[in-house]
Amino acid sequence: MPMSTVTGETGSGCGAGEWSAAESVVISRAVRNAPSVHNTRPWSLALHGRTAELRERPTVLVQHDPDGRDRRLSCGAALVNLVLAIRGLGRTAEVAFGSSAGLVTATVTATGRAEPSEVERRRSGAVLDRRSCRQAFDGTGLPARTRDALLEAVEAPGVTGRWISGAEETLGVARLLTYAARAFRDNAEYQRELSSWTTTTGEGLRREGFGEQGLAAVGLATGRTRLPDEFALAARMQREAVLVVGVQPEGPVDQVRAGAAVEQAWLEATSRGLAASVITQPLHLTEVRSGLAAGLGLVGAPQALMRFGAQVGR
Ligand SMILES: Cc1cc2nc3c(=O)[nH]c(=O)nc-3n(C[C@H](O)[C@H](O)[C@H](O)COP(=O)(O)O)c2cc1C
């Protein structure tokens, strides 16, 4: 049987050892709803027999992501949605990584049957509800057990999470982030690329979802972003729960794993009714990455910042 590519389409298959059309729809919809850098969905998905193959696609964001790190993080997020969709169908999901022409592939084999765990059920139920929320949050009242659950969701082999806490630490991070936002805001070529991926309707990075204040604005600086000073930013950050996700070592597959960890935490938050968003833009400046790692004493290389909280005004 020829391999059916289902990026945005429905795969075919009807025998006992193949995905049914309905299963293919469930799987491709879950993958499509994964978060991705600039909403580029830099992967392709192919279903064959009882396997699903996710391949990194060489979408090149020359200005934003020249090394492809965000692309691989995005593939990791898509992989989580893929695995959860398969588990939600009551099948086992064994993941094997490979690479072809320098691009990571993840093959998921689903030949067995097994009911999803309670956590898998809950997170897979959140896949279609997850969104980037770039409004102001209130994370101050996040109970310790919720913070622990989010941290646990991020932790995976080589991947660690670290909450930013305390006035001094927050101010140090705010300084790095305002520095990065200024650099990106004032970089005309960077802004040209960002606006080419920005749309007001349909596909792409939706302009109406952009943050206007605080960390969300600083985390996706455009030519129009009004930057707060570092003290104002630090004060706002202290009202949110901000997690740094790092990975060690930092090979391509490790970056996919880090992206998977980010999505696990995001889905965990969504399933608990929390708002969240992910920020990587500042981490594309080497000095910000190293400043963050040194300032926070991180074990791994920083991959993403995640912000969580209850949406203000709800
Ligand atoms: C690897 C990665 C990097 C991202 N970087 C940023 C970022 O720096 N700033 C930001 O506001 N959103 C960032 N996002 C969020 C994406 O813009 C968002 O997932 C995409 O536009 C789809 O929208 P949705 O999350 O609401 O489905 C990132 C997402 C991923 C997966």
Side-chain angles (χ1 to χ4, degrees):
M1 192 190 124
M3 189 174 275
S4 53
T5 300
V6 292
T7 9
E9 293 162 24
T10 304
S12 60
C14 46
E18 296 171 12
W19 300 113
S20 69
E23 287 171 329
S24 299
V25 169
V26 168
I27 292 169
S28 50
R29 191 171 50 199
V31 170
R32 196 178 158 70
N33 210 57
S36 63
V37 55
H38 287 14
N39 208 16
T40 51
R41 299 193 180 100
W43 57 72
S44 65
L45 174 68
L47 301 186
H48 179 62
R50 281 289 182 195
T51 65
E53 189 180 68
L54 192 72
R55 278 175 186 268
E56 177 186 356
R57 244 179 352 107
T59 320
V60 184
L61 293 170
V62 182
Q63 296 294 327
H64 178 84
D65 189 31
D67 305 328
R69 183 173 65 240
D70 277 11
R71 195 171 65 213
R72 288 182 285 278
L73 292 171
S74 305
C75 289
L79 179 60
V80 165
N81 285 15
L82 170 60
V83 167
L84 286 174
I86 291 173
R87 297 288 297 118
L89 293 171
R91 307 209 70 94
T92 54
E94 280 168 39
V95 180
F97 290 105
S99 90
S100 139
L103 299 168
V104 175
T105 56
T107 305
V108 186
T109 306
T111 39
R113 289 208 158 269
E115 284 305 301
S117 68
E118 191 273 329
V119 169
E120 287 172 325
R121 212 184 285 277
R122 208 157 36 75
R123 291 187 192 162
S124 100
V127 159
L128 300 183
D129 293 334
R130 185 215 52 80
R131 297 272 174 282
S132 290
C133 300
R134 299 191 186 88
Q135 293 84 20
F137 294 165
D138 183 0
T140 48
L142 226 55
R145 66 174 184 284
T146 306
R147 285 180 179 253
D148 291 348
L150 295 171
L151 205 52
E152 205 176 297
V154 142
E155 275 162 5
V159 187
T160 46
R162 159 86 153 78
W163 292 109
I164 296 173
S165 63
E168 201 181 322
E169 188 168 292
T170 307
L171 181 59
V173 175
R175 251 184 211 130
L176 289 167
L177 299 182
T178 41
Y179 163 82
R182 193 163 297 114
F184 286 114
R185 186 196 58 184
D186 297 343
N187 180 336
E189 281 184 52
Y190 178 92
Q191 289 303 332
R192 250 194 300 281
E193 183 183 79
L194 178 58
S195 48
S196 75
W197 286 97
T198 305
T199 58
T200 45
T201 51
E203 302 286 298
L205 197 50
R206 288 178 299 278
R207 178 171 295 286
E208 73 274 12
F210 283 18
E212 288 177 4
Q213 292 176 319
L215 185 52
V218 167
L220 191 60
T222 70
R224 300 187 202 171
T225 303
R226 275 175 299 153
L227 297 182
D229 71 38
E230 58 208 41
F231 296 99
L233 179 62
R236 276 187 169 273
M237 282 174 65
Q238 286 208 277
R239 296 203 289 272
E240 301 184 349
V242 184
L243 186 68
V244 185
V245 179
V247 74
Q248 176 83 355
E250 198 191 7
V253 170
D254 306 303
Q255 290 168 339
V256 172
R257 287 206 174 95
V262 164
E263 177 68 345
Q264 293 282 13
W266 204 336
L267 294 173
E268 182 63 34
T270 306
S271 78
R272 290 167 180 258
L274 293 172
S277 78
V278 164
I279 292 169
T280 63
Q281 189 193 59
L283 304 182
H284 289 282
L285 295 181
T286 314
E287 61 274 35
V288 172
R289 253 161 66 92
S290 55
L292 204 58
L296 298 177
L298 296 179
V299 181
Q303 305 294 300
L305 298 171
M306 301 192 74
R307 44 190 292 273
F308 301 99
Q311 231 162 297
V312 173
R314 278 199 154 184

